[in-house]
Amino acid sequence: AQSVTQLGSHVSVSEGALVLLRCNYSSSVPPYLFWYVQYPNQGLQLLLKYTSAATLVKGINGFEAEFKKSETSFHLTKPSAHMSDAAEYFCAVSDRKGAQKLVFGQGTRLTINP
Amino acid sequence: DAEITQSPRHKITETGRQVTLACHQTWNHNNMFWYRQDLGHGLRLIHYSYGVQDTNKGEVSDGYSVSRSNTEDLPLTLESAASSQTSVYFCASSVGSQETQYFGPGTRLLVL
């Protein structure tokens, strides 16, 4: 069965600092991987996804993530945090068998300090 | 603009009552999904559908049902609401296999 682990339920960084949100997955087949962002009282919005092309994936709002098969990781980064990045971030995995059922991690709440 | 909507946005009900949460999308997407979001669990899949008359159970389907009579709608029914079903419910849709899922704004349900 697939699973996702997000290390750290809460991450706090200063404005302008590097953002690193960690995601490790478990999958018996090559996965598709996703990062979603949720702003307060809103639904989830796709940041980026990995579907087997380049291992470094660029998303919206300056975020990117790197798929590392050897480490079963898909960490999300942004070089310089902005106050508007404060939100909850979810990593998700689905298998390639066409079912497209997403399995989500527990979420990481990102706080930006001025 | 095409969109996905959920109603109601907030609902308070009593234990044992039947509750239906609506989900409507105007993208003409084949796939529709229902998730619940609980602190410490992220989002968990309740039910999903790949098209009209197709429904499938997800990870946490006990106590819930769905029906798909047209492309646009996938209502979620709680047969007999329980306090454990207090949660935030999200509907999502996608056009096809492995395509991006688009999420609705959510319904916050409180079962007393």
Side-chain angles (χ1 to χ4, degrees):
Chain A
Q2 297 171 303
S3 66
V4 174
T5 300
Q6 292 184 238
L7 299 177
S9 59
H10 190 192
V11 170
S12 182
V13 302
S14 299
E15 191 174 17
L18 171 72
V19 175
L20 171 61
L21 304 183
R22 299 177 187 274
C23 172
N24 288 89
Y25 69 91
S26 171
S27 177
S28 59
V29 297
Y32 289 129
L33 293 158
F34 305 80
W35 275 101
Y36 280 86
V37 60
Q38 183 182 31
Y39 299 104
N41 298 314
Q42 294 187 25
L44 278 71
Q45 178 184 1
L46 182 71
L47 271 179
L48 49 82
K49 64 180 180 181
Y50 166 77
T51 58
S52 81
T55 56
L56 181 63
V57 181
K58 295 187 183 298
I60 62 172
N61 301 336
F63 284 93
E64 63 182 34
E66 186 173 8
F67 172 66
K68 292 187 176 180
K69 183 178 179 180
S70 61
E71 299 177 7
T72 61
S73 69
F74 191 57
H75 302 331
L76 182 70
T77 60
K78 181 174 181 178
S80 177
H82 191 273
M83 295 300 292
S84 61
D85 295 327
E88 185 135 21
Y89 292 79
F90 293 94
C91 183
V93 63
S94 72
D95 63 41
R96 291 169 177 261
K97 296 180 180 178
Q100 214 212 357
K101 294 181 291 180
L102 290 177
V103 175
F104 284 86
Q106 308 93 312
T108 298
R109 181 167 299 278
L110 177 64
T111 300
I112 312 296
N113 302 312
Chain B
D1 287 341
E3 60 178 355
I4 182 166
T5 57
Q6 294 183 234
S7 62
R9 295 293 312 277
H10 302 270
K11 175 77 175 178
I12 300 175
T13 191
E14 296 177 343
T15 302
R17 290 190 179 269
Q18 184 181 79
V19 176
T20 297
L21 309 182
C23 175
H24 179 79
Q25 52 97 1
T26 59
W27 284 301
N28 204 34
H29 285 171
N30 289 324
N31 303 336
M32 295 186 73
F33 307 83
W34 273 105
Y35 297 88
R36 59 177 289 173
Q37 182 180 23
D38 303 289
L39 195 63
H41 290 279
L43 280 77
R44 292 179 290 175
L45 184 63
I46 304 172
H47 281 286
Y48 58 102
S49 167
Y50 291 142
V52 176
Q53 301 302 330
D54 176 76
T55 61
N56 305 278
K57 294 181 178 180
E59 177 188 358
V60 290
S61 61
D62 288 348
Y64 303 94
S65 64
V66 293
S67 62
R68 188 88 179 270
S69 59
N70 58 53
T71 301
E72 297 80 15
D73 300 289
L74 187 70
L76 177 71
T77 297
L78 286 67
E79 305 293 345
S80 177
S83 58
S84 60
Q85 295 176 307
T86 292
S87 186
V88 182
Y89 291 86
F90 287 99
C91 179
S93 71
S94 67
V95 65
S97 178
Q98 304 308 342
E99 294 297 324
T100 299
Q101 290 188 22
Y102 294 91
F103 284 77
T107 294
R108 191 173 296 272
L109 177 67
L110 175 61
V111 183
L112 299 175

